[in-house]
Each structure stands twice: as structure tokens, then as C-alpha cells.
Amino acid sequence: MDYNLGGTSPDPYGGGGGSIHLVCDHCGTSDNYNTDDADDGQFTCPPYPRTPQVAPVPAAAAFDDFMELSEPRDFAPGSGTWGEPEDLAVRVRWRYVRGLQVILQRQLEVLVERHQVGAFVCAVAGIVWVRLVAASRVFDGIWTRQVLEDHKATGRKNCSGSGDNKKPDEVKYELDDEMVLQRKDRRKVEFAFLRSLRMMLPVYSTLAVCFLACHIARETILPSDIYRWAMEGNIPYVAALTEVDRFLGSSFQDCPLDGRQLFRPVRVIGAWQLEAAAGSIAQKAGLRLPSVNFYAIAQRCLKDLLLPIDRILPHAHRIYEWAMPAELWLSSNPARVPTRVCVMAILIVALRLLYNINSQGIWEKICEEGRNPSESHHDTNSSTSRKLEASNSEEFGTRELLCAIAAAYDKINTTHDYSSDLRSYLKYCKEVIFTGITFSDEENHLIEIFWDMYKAREDDNPKDHVKSQSHSVEDIPITNGVKKRYRDGAFVEASSFYASSGHDAMQMLKSEMQDHGFHYMPPRKPRKSDGYLRYRRKRLSGGFIYVAHADYYMLLRAFAKLAEIDIRIMHISVLKLERRLACIEERIERSLNTLQNFSTGTGDELRSVSD
């Protein structure tokens, strides 16, 4: 039986009230039928009652129970099944908080398995996370109402600002597309909830909780380590949305927002901001934190710089116990100097005191001897380990210290692993940056073609490829003693200054100091008493000018690179520590003088009484 839609269209909500015109295939009889005349989805012709003729029932009658409109819905599964905004808020919130917890668990697992962190951090992180969620009040009943009120207020403000500029045709067009507007408004509500959740519990809070747990557990993990691992994809963060989908399933089953919308970070916060975020979380959670594990962190720094630990660390630890600067405690103030910089400052002061680095011109002498290698007392190609064997003796003096620091400076790698070559960068983009993105078959085919072309070109010229990515310092001119970027995107670091000729080495050092805002000072004339030299900064032309000798600057640049901080900030931290130590010494001297005067006065009184 054929059917003709030329009659009255049926009621889109079902239940009768509409007719459909059908024509029998056997006898040609035509008649109007109601939707209620259908028997199990079939219509029968009166002359042939026993021969059922199948005809499709209008689509509206098949979805009466769902009360759906006969309008096309969004392509996203389940996009039209969310009823009240309160129910939507519960689903988005539950998915977001559970997803962050999964990301945090995976980050802790990687820290324990790959980076030799103690398993105790997992228990600490769990307590910190629960306290953070409770302090954020994200599960309070008032949260949903507050977000909806803010969303409505924003909508009214936008309407009042642009309502008078609408033309009648535009208003009529919006009334005709009421369903489109409803869907847009629902999406706005969804993202309003998401924005509120990201304000209360940011995605980067998982990294901050990891660092805070390591800090409480007395681990030697620094914020710069967490930042580097997150950037390189060594701990789940940028591509962590795949971990959430793998553990919790597809988000469309319980939330209208997908994983990229929920958990894709906008950027990876730096080490400075990460430490401030950890301090803010500790403050919200009501935690009383200890200071940093100075002994372990200082030992790690000395080991990275290949310096004698047994000789330097005890003196540095005495300064730490004596001064106890407030910068060794975490703070929520983003403008305060990081804790690792304070640790480096204590080590620099200890080195200056131990090796008498007070502008004697030792580095200038090393560079001068570099002009005449036959007269040089230092072999630049000798390994630093041989010097460290006699680190407890007097052989490891100021000369050996500066040479060891200069050699260790070039070995400190602050670049990311994915920037080593093009293949590593492409792999990083595929596995970290663009993870979770699906491509069509044609796009995948093009990607395979381009990848094969690149590998074929690399295999044809392996020597040229290696040469282009491993330029030696001798073949490439280095200006100002700083790293330069070349066409292939690789970075090249300046080699040790003492490896060059003496005149060129000093010129490179002076140029680098000038680039970093420092003014080179020549060595002082020998004095009878070489006391501790304190530097000052001077304001000139609206900015600060920093003065330093070459010996002291060699210490600054090495420790600043190790801490991944600007040299001027490292210098300011040293100056602040020196002022604190000078203040303590002044107070002790004043107390001793007062005690001595009190003893003298008491003795005189006793003698007068006896007389």
C-alpha cells in the first residue's frame, strides 16, 4: 500500500488528531487513515482485511514516550537529554572532579615509578586533595544557584547593551529559530559551570598538589622538575585527557562536555607560579608546612655542579640554621622569590666564605694563562672527577673551584628533550600536543606520506642530518657568550670561557655580563686584610645597574642556570641574605657589648661594697 503525504499532516506529538492518505497496491483503493487505525505498525485495506499492508507509522508516534520535538538535534550523543540546569550541573561537576582525581593519581604513579619518589607522597597527596576539594566548596548546594544567577546577570547585561540595535527582521529570525537559541543557551550554561569549576579547581592544581606532597614528604623534587616533566610529557598533564577517558569511559555517557573541553590545559604554568599555587593550596587547606629540605636539596645542587659535598655542605648548613630566612617556606605570594633560589644563595655565600672569593682576580689569571698553554697550571681537558678526589685537601682551591663550576655550567641542560631534533619534536606533537584528535582517512594518508618522505630524506643523507643538528662550538660563531637559535630550531650553548684564548674569554664574559645587566669590575689591588666584599646595586636612568667581579659572576651564572632563574634575581637573593646575616651579626655584637658592660658595672659595684 502506497501512501501519499498530500493530506493533512499528522500531529507531531502523536495520539491521533491527524490523517494520512494511503493507496492499496492490489486494488488501487485509496482512503484517509488516522494514526490510531494502525495495528502493530500496519494498515489493512477493507477489501482485503486478511492481507496486511505495511506502511510506515509517522516518526512522531514512535517517540511519544520521549515527548521529543520533530526538529533535528545536535550531532553529539545525548545532547538533548539534559533537563534541568541543576541536573546538568551535577553531571558536569561530578565528571570534572573525578577526572582531576584520575589525573592526580596518574601523575603520582609516574612520579613513584619513573622518578624515584617515595610512595609516601601518594598518601600525603590524597589528604591534601580531599582538603582542597572541601575548602573549594565546589559540592555546596549554593554553588549551582550562584553560577546560574551570575550567568543570567551576564545575559541580561549583554541584552541590555545590544538589544536596541536589533532590526525587526533579526528579531523575527530569532523567534523562528527558537530551538537553535535553546541549544545555544544550554551550551552557554554548560560552559558557565565549566568556567566556575576551573576557577575553583584549576587543572594545574594537580601539579601543585604533586609538588606540595613532595614538599611535605621531604623529597628533593623542585618546581622546575615538575614543570619540565609536564612540558615534555613525562608526567600526564597536557595529554591527560586520554587517561581520564580510559579510566572513566566516554564523557558523553554522563556529561555533555568531552575530555578536551574539560581537561585540556590552556598552558603549563611555570615553576615560579607552580610554587605559589602550592602555597595557596596549603593556605586554603589549613596546612602548617615545614621549610624546604635544605640538606637534601643543597646536596643535590652540589652534586650537579660536581663540587666537593663533604667540605661545602656543613658550612652551608650552619648558615641555614643560623639565618633561617623566611624564603625557605612556601608562600602564596606570586611575587616572592622561590625557595630554591634561597637555597642557592646560601650555597653561594658559603662558597665565597670558604674559598675567599672576594675580587682577587682568579678568573682573570686563568684566562691569562689560557693565552700560553705551556705556562698554564690547569689542563682544561682533564676530568673534574680527578680534582674532586683531592677535594678534602688544600689542592681544591679557588682556581679548581672556578674551573669546575665553568665546566659544570656547560653540562647543565635546560632545554627540553623534544627540541633536540625534528623527529623528537614531531613525535612530541603527535603524542602530547595533538593527542585525542581524530583525523579522517584522507588526512591520515597524507600524514603517512609526509612522514615517509621525511624518513627517506633523512636516510639518504644521514651525515648531513647529523651535522646539521650537532654543530660544534668551534664551527659556529658565538656572540655575547649566550645561546643562539639557528634555522633548524636547535640551541647552541656557549662553551667554557677558559677553553678559548684569554683575551677572547674575558671579552665574552664582559659581553655576557652586559647583556644580563651587570657591569664588570676589574680585580681589586691586594690588601692586608681581605674581608667579605658586599655588592650593591645602583639606580641609573630608571633602572638598576649591578656590579660584580668575574669570580663572583661565575658563581652566579652557574647557580642561576641550575635553578632556571634569571641571574639578577639570583644576585638579589644573595644580597638579601647577606643583609640578613649582617643584621644578625650586628645584633649579636650589640648583645655582647651590652653583656660586657653589664659585667663590668656589676664588678665595680661589688668592689665598692667590699671596700
Side-chain angles (χ1 to χ4, degrees), residues 89 134 246 346 492 525 551:
R246 184 164 62 90
I346 294 177
V492 180
K525 295 181 180 180
D551 300 344

Side-chain angles (χ1 to χ4, degrees), residues 21 74 170 188-189 206 215 256 274 291 358 381 441 457 462 498 501 572:
H21 188 74
D74 291 343
E170 296 178 354
K188 291 180 181 179
V189 173
T206 57
H215 174 81
L274 181 62
S291 63
N358 293 292
N381 297 324
D441 295 338
R457 182 180 177 183
Y498 67 84
S501 62
I572 292 173

